[in-house]
Amino acid sequence: MITIEDVAKRANTSIATVSRVLNKKTGYSEKTKLKVQEAIEELGYESNAIARSLKNKKTNTIGVLVPNVSSMLSNEILNGIEEYAHTNGYSVLTSYTYSDSEKVMKSLKTFNEQRVEGLIFVSDFFLPEYYEYIRDREMPIVLTAAESPDYPLSFIKVDDFKASYDAVSYLIAKGHEKIGMISANPQVHPTAAGKSRLEGYKKALQDAALKIEDQRIVFCDGFTFPIGRNKFKELIERAPDITAVFASSDDLAVGALNMAYELGIQVPEEVSIIGYDNIPITEMVWPPLATVSQPLKNMGYESTKELMKKIADPDREGNHRYIDHEIIERKSVADLN
């Protein structure tokens, strides 16, 4: 973090002089002022005074960082965000980051320049550099469909462990014992759905006294339809005896459903499939997809409400809130009983 001491050293002047320049007080020459301004620009320094002055000029705008422009999950969350924001006189600026850390940092800097009053960070892994940037600029933020146990940030999401546990337990209750999983790679998504959903799957099998077989789990670095297609094929090749698949997103599950058709595998007669999210497409495919329902629009709505409270009260403590999920039964799961 660049400090006022660094600016003073670069400008070859005192800390007091830098402070006077920042606060537009008198007591320095025009030459010294230019040197201080050059040092500030070269170092990329932003003082708390500057940050506070920007904050006090209300823009009635919030920034939203979303990982994927094509994701129905993101669209549902954005609907909730915009509904609450617009009702309360705020505009929403959205940046699609595609889970690229450089794009996230660029978006944070752009939002800061545009003087947004707060941020909502949607469904992605929260890195240390993001936290340092928003902390240094005292930017209110709420995580949606994500959490960050390392930092005191508010979040609103479903309990991924419990929801996954319930999804696999549902398959077990339907008589399935050889259950595969298309899982997000926990090394890539340790808190953004990866680790928790995998652990929920394993715990459900363990509590039902069923074996956890490594060949029945395939890992992927994303949650998209094409990845679901490829990973379902890989899973069937590795574990042809499975009777059911739990996919850690609906996009993955729909991809699996598509590949099953291509491979001549009947769903649910030969293999049952359950997804996670309950995005609109789950009712459009055939057979309609059983899934874990996240109240996505409500999550966006409640996250924006929490952000408004943080904007009004910057000292408000972090609010960690889990929203209830639901297992949606549809025709993609067979009852083997």
Side-chain angles (χ1 to χ4, degrees):
M1 176 181 171
I2 305 300
T3 66
I4 193 170
E5 288 89 349
D6 297 321
V7 175
K9 186 175 180 180
R10 176 65 67 90
N12 195 27
T13 188
S14 68
I15 294 172
T17 298
V18 173
S19 179
R20 285 197 295 271
V21 172
L22 289 171
N23 290 288
K24 299 182 178 179
K25 294 181 179 179
T26 59
Y28 50 83
S29 67
E30 186 65 24
K31 181 178 179 181
T32 298
K33 176 183 175 181
L34 291 173
K35 285 170 64 178
V36 170
Q37 290 175 338
E38 287 174 3
I40 288 171
E41 186 174 341
E42 289 170 3
L43 295 172
Y45 172 76
E46 292 182 57
S47 72
N48 289 336
I50 292 174
R52 282 194 297 272
S53 71
L54 294 181
K55 268 188 197 175
N56 292 336
K57 296 179 181 177
K58 288 180 66 65
T59 61
N60 282 42
T61 304
I62 61 172
V64 182
L65 296 100
V66 183
N68 188 354
V69 67
S70 65
S71 170
M72 290 189 184
L73 178 146
S74 299
N75 291 340
E76 287 292 297
I77 291 174
L78 280 170
N79 286 338
I81 291 171
E82 292 184 344
E83 181 176 310
Y84 190 88
H86 294 164
T87 300
N88 288 274
Y90 272 74
S91 298
V92 179
L93 299 178
T94 305
S95 178
Y96 297 101
T97 63
Y98 302 94
S99 298
D100 184 313
S101 60
E102 290 185 7
K103 285 187 173 67
V104 172
M105 287 304 303
K106 185 176 181 180
S107 297
L108 288 174
K109 291 173 182 176
T110 299
F111 283 150
N112 187 53
E113 292 167 0
Q114 294 171 327
R115 303 182 185 181
V116 301
E117 294 182 36
L119 299 169
I120 294 179
F121 188 86
V122 178
S123 186
D124 206 354
F125 187 43
F126 199 81
L127 297 176
E129 53 261 40
Y130 309 162
Y131 178 71
E132 291 170 6
Y133 188 88
I134 65 159
R135 179 199 60 195
D136 292 346
R137 288 151 185 81
E138 300 177 352
M139 301 170 76
I141 185 169
V142 175
L143 310 186
T144 305
E147 62 182 305
S148 183
D150 296 329
Y151 308 113
L153 301 176
S154 295
F155 66 76
I156 294 179
K157 68 187 296 293
V158 161
D159 185 333
D160 286 305
F161 173 86
K162 189 174 188 306
S164 297
Y165 181 95
D166 290 348
V168 178
S169 297
Y170 166 72
L171 293 174
I172 294 169
K174 293 293 184 180
H176 296 275
E177 296 183 354
K178 299 174 181 178
I179 302 169
M181 181 176 184
I182 302 175
S183 171
N185 189 332
Q187 301 302 316
V188 177
H189 300 276
T191 57
K195 185 177 180 182
S196 297
R197 295 182 192 180
L198 178 61
E199 289 179 346
Y201 160 85
K202 290 181 176 180
K203 181 63 173 171
L205 293 177
Q206 186 180 52
D207 286 353
L210 298 174
K211 285 185 177 181
I212 299 169
E213 303 280 359
D214 288 343
Q215 70 270 21
R216 292 179 184 162
I217 305 170
V218 293
F219 295 107
C220 49
D221 293 341
F223 298 91
T224 64
F225 173 86
I227 292 175
R229 276 178 46 85
N230 295 334
K231 290 300 176 178
F232 179 80
K233 184 176 182 180
E234 179 183 336
L235 180 59
I236 290 298
E237 290 171 351
R238 290 177 53 175
D241 62 335
I242 59 173
T243 65
V245 175
F246 169 48
S248 57
S249 84
D250 282 340
D251 287 322
L252 290 173
V254 173
L257 193 65
N258 181 268
M259 179 55 72
Y261 175 81
E262 190 170 306
L263 296 174
I265 297 172
Q266 298 296 310
V267 177
E269 291 82 0
E270 296 177 84
V271 175
S272 294
I273 299 175
I274 187 170
Y276 194 112
D277 289 328
N278 197 31
I279 58 177
I281 198 172
T282 55
E283 296 183 276
M284 304 174 193
V285 295
W286 186 262
L289 188 68
T291 187
V292 176
S293 176
Q294 297 194 81
L296 300 171
K297 183 177 179 180
N298 187 46
M299 285 163 61
Y301 188 93
E302 292 297 323
S303 295
T304 313
K305 183 188 292 187
E306 174 64 19
L307 181 63
M308 298 298 177
K309 292 177 181 178
K310 292 181 74 65
I311 291 171
D313 178 12
D315 296 324
R316 178 179 172 83
E317 292 186 2
N319 179 19
H320 301 167
R321 182 176 167 193
Y322 290 105
I323 291 184
D324 291 340
H325 63 276
E326 181 183 1
I327 302 298
I328 304 298
E329 299 188 57
R330 296 196 183 107
K331 296 182 181 295
S332 65
V333 173
D335 189 341
L336 300 185
N337 297 317

